[in-house]
Amino acid sequence: YQLDGGEESSALGKYLLFVILNADFCNRRVALPSPPAGLGWRRVIDTNLAAGEDFAEPDREVVIDPPDHYWVHARSVALLIAR
C-alpha cells in the first residue's frame, strides 16, 4: 500500500509511506515505485529484524539500496518512507 503524506501539512514536509505485508511462508522481492524527484526510500520498520533494529528512530531510517526493490521476509511487515 502506498500513502501520500503530502496532503496534510507536517513537520516532515512532503513524504510517501509504503506498507508491505507479507503473510506468505516465503520471502518476497517487492518492486518499489519510483518516488518523486528529490525523495528516496528509507526503512522505518521491518518486523523480521532483531529487537533494536526493527524500528528506526526518527531521522535515523535506513536508506534502501538499491532503491527499486525491497526483500520482505516471510510473515513480516515493513514500512518504508520516501522523503
Side-chain angles (χ1 to χ4, degrees):
Y1 302 103
Q2 181 174 308
L3 305 170
D4 186 350
E7 295 180 7
E8 297 289 328
S9 56
S10 161
L12 292 175
K14 291 192 175 214
Y15 64 93
L16 297 174
L17 294 177
F18 194 75
V19 181
I20 305 169
L21 308 169
N22 185 9
D24 199 348
F25 61 92
C26 296
N27 298 344
R28 295 291 178 191
R29 182 184 187 272
V30 177
L32 300 176
S34 296
L39 301 181
W41 290 113
R42 299 168 181 265
R43 186 187 74 230
V44 179
I45 298 170
D46 188 334
T47 61
N48 179 65
L49 299 175
E53 296 177 24
D54 51 351
F55 287 75
E57 295 293 327
D59 294 324
R60 305 201 82 183
E61 301 93 359
V62 178
V63 174
I64 303 301
D65 186 32
D68 65 336
H69 70 275
Y70 188 78
W71 278 97
V72 64
H73 288 264
R75 297 186 176 94
S76 63
V77 175
L79 173 66
L80 309 180
I81 188 169
R83 59 183 195 114

